[in-house]
Amino acid sequence: MKLIVAYVKPFKLDEIKDALREVGVTGMSVGEIRGFGRQSGQTEVYRGAEYKVEFVPKTRIEVAVGDDDVERVVAAIETAARTGDIGDGKIIVLPIEEILRIRTGERGAEAI
Amino acid sequence: MSEGLKPSSDLGASLRARSNEIDGVVGGLAQAHPELGVVAVGGYGRSELCLHSDIDLLFLHEGQPPEEAVRSVLYPLWDARHKVGHATRTVRATLAFVRDDLVGLCSLLSARLVSGPPSLFDELLAGLAKLLTGARANLGELLAAEEHRVWEREPFARQELDVKSGRGGLRSHHRLEWDRQRSRLIGEEPILPATSGEKAAVATLLQVREALHTVQRRAADLYPVELRSQVGERLGRDPTELATEVYGAARTIDGAAALRWGRVRPAGTDPINHAGLAVIRLVRSRWGKRELAATPFAYARAAAASRSGGRLSAWERAFVARMGPPDWHSGDRSSLLALLAEGTAGWEALLGLWEAGWLTRALPELSHVRGLAQVAPFHQHPVDAHLGATVANVVDLADGAIDWCGEIADQMGGLDEVLLAAFLHDIGKGLPGDHSQTGAALAQQLLIRTGFSPTTADTVGDAVRHHLLLPETAFRRDTEDPEVIAFLAASVGSLDFLRLLTLLSVADARATGADMWSPWKESLLRALVTKTASLLEGTVTALPEAVLVELAALVPELSPRDIADHLAGMPPEYLGRFGTGVVATHLRLAHPNLGSTEVRTAVVPGAPVSNIVVAARDRPGLLATVAGVLALHNLNVLEARVVTRTDGLAIDTFRVADSRGSDMVGQGRWPAVRETMERTFAGALDLEARLAEKRRTSPPMDAKPTDVRITGATIDIRTRDRVGLLHDLALAMTSLGLSITLAKIDTRRGEAIDVFGVAKPAHITDQAIEAALRAACAG
């Protein structure tokens, strides 16, 4: 089992949600975050005065999947999130030790 | 009490039956101890026990603690899993205790003897009456302070209403009941008797509280959006309709509470005098004495500006309740605007007018949003309170609650339009169709009916229509895409309107709730606004392919090359300022190229505002000539946007209102306007002589001071509006050798507020320009 964490541009969320649904992912967690990578923030000019956007708004998506589904899900996110411009984001795949569904007590792949 | 009551038309009777049942059990248990007074207090005393409410008992004795007797009543109740609160005291100890304990005192005000000697209970009531005329004669102030804490905690009604302790909840009703009971105990008439509306509202809240206890299987009194379906199902009601009824009920109770507890002033100050003085002061300083008796908005404004937090006194409410709808003279409009500008306190005052029944006579378009439930769970307020919270947020933003929004507010000519837009932006909710569209039409209609200028009605209508445009673009589209920015700029059309929409959007999002406004969302929205503002200001240029495609579709008769050439010759902010719709009209007029005396005109008719576009080769005095022709035909210029292509083609776009109040195109008068225009350009008509004649026959208007300010290439003029003013100003500038690159004309309440962008010859001083313009204003 793997946890797929993706940091993407906020406006891509709906597209990614649809892409994940198409590859059979029914649940995900979403968070509003801010950060910077190579994009290093932005500088905007407003009425002649520059202001620095230190951190760029991003959306974090977390999806837990079985080992067999990792490639498909990563590909779906990658395709949906790509604009080709700087700041498209990152996808990280992490191992999962255990999952437990609180309501039913199911564990492992059953609980995904 | 293991089962929730079945929904019934008389819940009060069902609740009483439940209390009677408990009375029977308690009475039976206490039968063996006739000397023990068993008194029901709190909700049990009021016979309002909901499913999981506590049963509060007071055991009265005459000196010897009756431990055995008390146990014999309590233990069986505990065994039956009732939640029982109890105290065992003598009458004297009880009175001593409640003297310093407000909760105890209030629960005693609902006391009812269940079993035991009536004499003991009578002694308690007599002692209570003494206490209420002595040490606790200030009960009213204590209750008022409690209600004020609720108002502070919840300045605007919440969707997730706590039906017991929330604003307008059952506890607010209890405070009124305790106050009434106090009056009865000391032999006075209640200050605020319960109305049938209040009783019905209480029944609604009790019914929902019972259902909440039943579906949650515990004494939980919060009514969140997520539980609406279950509660609705339990009561056999449509969940949203029921929620609206609940919020309406809370408003009714809150209105009664506002009436009773709204004005608490230091001892010795007379509330009526205070309010009266405030009104008179305000009226004298702003609108003249004649409006004293005619504008409830002025009373409300006085209340909002006083320390009452905006709550009207009983005297004011009663007075306002009897008044008919306003005739909407300018005092009514300016006092409504002043009231909105008071923010939270202004909203309280509006609620007072509303609950008195007057606001819906003045603004019937608002009636349907009273307590209207929002469907989306991220909304923290029902629609009416959301409107109030949005207005209050606009005021806070203008006061600098968020730095960059404060700067935007400073750059706006005033807050009137954004306050009106905030006040009206969701009035389309609860009506068929898209609420932005429906609301825009309704807001426009309301503003025209109440005498606001067509420009204000148009601007506010547009703002209502587009109030979701910025957040939807910021949160759902790629704000780094130049095409997205260009489309937004084209949709917004002007920097002024972008500023208005920005304040409205931020205020709306903040009023909606934490889910809709976070530092994350703020940074997205700010970046979008900044980029769009840069494009509109002309500091960034962008000509995305999609705009060309859209224009090609709008003007299929022109080749893409013609369109691109036209755009290339225009200033960088051109597309953003006019939008693709108007640019398409420009393209049709500009092609093929015009001869030196040729003039082409187009009209986009509307009532009462039409758009007139005039294209001609640029020449000194062009704007003055067109403005003069429009004045001759009684067409009042609301806005003039002037643009000159690099090859010398001038295109002037006018928004005009017919000062006779009719649709000039519909009346068939447009051909005459066009003919005058053509004759003037061909030199066949003496425009100056005709205008002079017209001025002589026009009635003089109120004098207003003239203000001329020159900052770099921008000239701001405020003066009284009159026939041919724009013509005279344009002529004065032309004769000094100034070339007008932009004109923004606005007329509000007889005052012209004009901004010109000009190119000035080096030898002309600002003093000379100012003197010439002042002379032109004076006519």
Side-chain angles (χ1 to χ4, degrees), chain B residues 569-571 618 642-652 739-741:
Chain B
M570 286 298 186
D618 201 6
V642 180
V643 66
T644 308
R645 211 165 64 181
T646 43
D647 65 353
L649 177 74
I651 303 180
D652 298 359
S739 159
I740 300 167
T741 55

Side-chain angles (χ1 to χ4, degrees), chain A residues 47-110:
Chain A
R47 288 179 59 78
E50 281 191 4
Y51 82 92
K52 181 97 175 148
V53 183
E54 295 284 358
F55 295 98
V56 184
K58 294 280 176 200
T59 298
R60 182 180 59 218
I61 298 170
E62 293 176 356
V63 190
V65 296
D67 290 332
D68 295 345
D69 296 326
V70 174
E71 283 312 314
R72 268 188 318 134
V73 172
V74 167
I77 297 176
E78 185 189 357
T79 311
R82 180 179 293 138
T83 67
D85 293 331
I86 196 160
D88 272 353
K90 299 264 186 305
I91 301 174
I92 299 169
V93 182
L94 303 166
I96 293 177
E97 205 153 294
E98 180 65 293
I99 301 183
L100 185 144
R101 177 170 285 132
I102 295 171
R103 178 172 56 85
T104 58
E106 292 164 289
R107 287 172 180 267
E110 292 295 304

Side-chain angles (χ1 to χ4, degrees), chain B residues 540-553:
Chain B
V540 170
T541 59
L543 195 57
E545 188 61 31
V547 173
L548 289 176
V549 171
E550 197 192 351
L551 282 172

Side-chain angles (χ1 to χ4, degrees), chain B residues 158-159 161 201 204-205 208 223 228 237-252 367-375 382-384 429-430:
Chain B
R158 288 187 186 160
Q159 287 240 107
L161 173 69
T204 299
L205 293 192
V208 167
Y223 177 51
R228 273 186 201 164
R237 297 282 309 274
D238 173 82
T240 312
E241 271 178 29
L242 176 65
T244 297
E245 190 180 313
V246 170
Y247 301 142
R251 255 190 65 168
T252 301
S367 311
H368 70 283
V369 301
R370 183 180 184 272
L372 183 63
Q374 312 249 21
V375 179
V383 176
D384 49 356
K429 285 198 169 171

Side-chain angles (χ1 to χ4, degrees), chain A residues 9-11 14 31-34 39 42 44-48 51 53 55-59 83 85-86, chain B residues 407-408 411 475-480 499 515 518-521 523-524 526-527 529-531 533-534 537:
Chain A
K9 290 186 172 180
F11 76 95
D14 285 344
E32 297 175 352
I33 56 153
R34 291 188 292 169
Q39 208 177 349
Q42 306 161 321
E44 300 290 354
V45 180
Y46 183 66
R47 288 179 59 78
Y51 82 92
V53 183
F55 295 98
V56 184
K58 294 280 176 200
T59 298
T83 67
D85 293 331
I86 196 160
Chain B
E407 283 170 25
I408 286 178
Q411 290 149 19
F475 308 148
R476 306 180 80 100
R477 300 191 62 189
D478 185 2
T479 54
E480 281 162 36
R499 289 179 181 134
D515 284 346
S518 59
W520 186 84
K521 289 197 161 70
S523 55
L524 278 173
R526 184 181 180 185
V529 169
T530 303
K531 286 172 185 158
S534 298
E537 279 177 331

